Amino acid sequence: MGCTIIVGGFFGDEGKGKIVAHIAEQDKPSIIARGGVGPNAGHTVVTGDESYGIRMVPSGFVYEPARLMIGAGVLVNPDVLLREIDEVGHRVRERIKVDKRCAIIEKKHIEQDKSDKRLREGIGTTGTGCGPANVERVMRTARQAKDVPELREFLADVPLEVNEAIDRGEFVILEGTQGFGISLFYGTYPYVTSKDTTASQIAADVGVGPTKVDDVIVVFKAYPTRVGEGPFETEMSQEESEKLGIVEYGTVTRRRRRIGYWDGKFAKYSAMINGATMAALTGLDRVDPDCRGVRDYDKLSEKVKEFVRRAEEDVGVPFRLLSTGPGIDEIVDLR
Ligand code: GTP
Ligand code: IMP
Ligand code: MG
């Protein structure tokens, strides 16, 4: 079984939440642990009639037997986390643990993020305080989860629990947030987030060493998107995207997402640095609306199959998860 990392291959919002939730239901992990920057992320999970937009709780919450964890590298906003624990239901309160060393986002970080013109307008941050909180962490002045009484009942040594589960032969998912193109190290600096976002960083966030990782699934979107400022080589005009029927808004900030065409060169480079063992491709219903909800490879149209073949050729890893709609079960799973 072992350990699988799931990360974003483009600029975030590739649909990692949906892919994580599908794999959780399918492969029954004992733990789903979240890495990544913090509550700047918004994962969408659509199950039946319910749609959840979550910023701190791991997306695999829909699979109720799994324990849920937030790794030490992740920034925690206690207000956001506690509200989500209340709102999501699904027994999250009994199942979730927060590493005692997570750094805390304070009101002042959010104010700074929102009032700094360069951050807000120049880079187009989410205004969730992540950048300023990471600054304090680097300066070693940030508070940690263990200093917050409201978090006491959730505190744990996450890497200890995760590594013990892996050593017992259980299956563990490490869930990434954001995407390769906004990595502080490898993205389009300075138009990036405040930390690396690649698979190695997600492993480090949760405290899992590289020798314990079995699979890295990089999630790509047929039509990549970007929110905030910064270069986007294959970006199309708004009219073009509307003609294709693609209009998206951010889960956290409600900002309109910029839409682009498939970028094979970028995807290949991203898969290389992430050490991808396989890829997932979302939004195939945008390539051909007739494929919406298809779950059987043979029922995909030739147009979609050709798109997948080309993507596979561009990236050089097998595309084993083909998403045909937002719902957890709208997917062709070839694993
Ligand atoms: P971050 O962690 O913030 O990067 O987010 P994410 O990767 O979890 O993605 P997010 O949920 O923000 O955005 C993806 C959007 O696409 C959501 O609205 C999903 O419901 C939707 N989505 C996921 N898969 C598909 C798909 O195959 N087709 C369509 N049409 N929408 C999809
Ligand atoms: P910050 O992470 O809020 O500092 O924002 C820095 C850049 O990363 C901005 O362009 C944001 O739009 C982008 N960003 C941060 N988190 C996400 C995410 O989860 N999805 C998409 N873009 C994000
Ligand atoms: Mg998102």
Side-chain angles (χ1 to χ4, degrees):
M1 291 304 272
C3 175
T4 291
I5 303 182
I6 299 170
V7 287
F10 284 133
F11 297 94
D13 309 321
E14 298 89 354
K16 294 177 289 297
K18 180 246 166 88
I19 298 294
V20 169
H22 165 77
I23 293 179
E25 291 209 323
Q26 211 62 31
D27 297 1
K28 312 195 180 323
S30 65
I31 298 178
I32 302 154
R34 182 154 170 171
V37 181
N40 50 350
H43 285 315
T44 312
V45 178
V46 181
T47 153
D49 303 335
E50 302 281 348
S51 176
Y52 302 85
I54 44 177
R55 296 168 56 192
M56 296 245 61
V57 169
S59 306
F61 71 85
V62 288
Y63 176 63
E64 292 201 15
R67 292 189 288 151
L68 307 171
M69 301 197 183
I70 298 181
V74 179
L75 296 166
V76 169
N77 177 329
D79 296 340
V80 173
L81 176 64
L82 295 168
R83 194 178 338 120
E84 265 177 27
I85 290 173
D86 276 345
E87 284 174 6
V88 170
H90 286 271
R91 295 182 44 250
V92 168
R93 179 172 288 277
E94 293 104 88
R95 298 190 283 147
I96 195 162
K97 292 282 177 217
V98 177
D99 192 274
K100 57 194 178 193
R101 292 151 289 200
C102 289
I104 298 296
I105 298 179
E106 319 271 356
K107 282 204 177 60
K108 63 179 176 190
H109 299 137
I110 297 173
E111 279 159 21
Q112 233 179 309
D113 203 4
K114 287 183 170 164
S115 62
D116 183 310
K117 204 162 179 294
R118 197 182 64 86
L119 288 178
R120 199 60 205 258
E121 289 170 27
I123 291 174
T125 70
T126 58
T128 53
C130 289
N134 269 334
V135 168
E136 274 224 57
R137 190 170 212 182
V138 172
M139 296 305 283
R140 286 145 286 179
T141 50
R143 284 200 306 154
Q144 291 181 300
K146 63 177 165 53
D147 308 322
V148 180
E150 296 76 27
L151 294 179
R152 194 164 296 145
E153 65 177 296
F154 303 111
L155 297 182
D157 185 331
V158 166
L160 185 65
E161 304 214 14
V162 170
N163 281 283
E164 283 179 353
I166 295 172
D167 293 346
R168 282 194 298 267
E170 295 169 13
F171 177 51
V172 171
I173 298 177
L174 306 189
E175 171 178 338
T177 60
Q178 287 80 39
F180 178 76
I182 56 172
S183 159
L184 178 65
F185 295 172
Y186 303 108
T188 54
Y189 187 91
Y191 301 98
V192 293
T193 189
S194 53
K195 204 167 78 178
D196 179 29
T197 55
T198 64
S200 308
Q201 178 68 65
I202 303 304
D205 285 343
V206 179
V208 172
T211 51
K212 293 223 174 139
V213 177
D214 301 285
D215 266 306
V216 175
I217 303 179
V218 180
V219 184
F220 295 106
K221 218 170 177 172
Y223 290 99
T225 60
R226 174 161 202 165
V227 267
E229 302 307 311
F232 187 5
E233 267 193 37
T234 61
E235 185 170 14
M236 64 178 83
S237 68
Q238 272 200 12
E239 294 107 72
E240 264 175 291
S241 65
E242 281 161 18
K243 258 191 242 153
L244 289 168
I246 312 175
V247 180
E248 286 190 30
Y249 293 91
T251 316
V252 178
T253 58
R254 314 306 310 164
R255 287 180 293 178
R256 188 158 173 173
R257 291 178 181 157
R258 299 155 65 191
I259 317 277
Y261 291 103
W262 173 256
D263 187 341
K265 206 170 133 219
F266 187 102
K268 182 176 184 180
Y269 192 69
S270 158
M272 176 183 78
I273 293 181
N274 277 302
T277 56
M278 73 174 94
L281 188 54
T282 63
L284 286 168
D285 49 310
R286 263 108 182 235
V287 175
D288 180 355
D290 285 345
C291 290
R292 174 73 196 265
V294 167
R295 303 175 64 179
D296 181 351
Y297 181 82
D298 295 331
K299 296 206 172 104
L300 293 172
S301 65
E302 206 38 53
K303 189 177 177 192
V304 164
K305 286 181 181 163
E306 184 50 38
F307 192 100
V308 175
R309 273 196 291 271
R310 195 186 119 203
E312 234 169 22
E313 228 175 80
D314 286 344
V315 180
V317 301
F319 278 58
R320 294 258 160 86
L321 290 151
L322 310 176
S323 176
T324 54
I328 298 183
D329 52 3
E330 295 182 296
I331 192 162
V332 178
D333 189 340
L334 301 168
R335 293 174 305 149

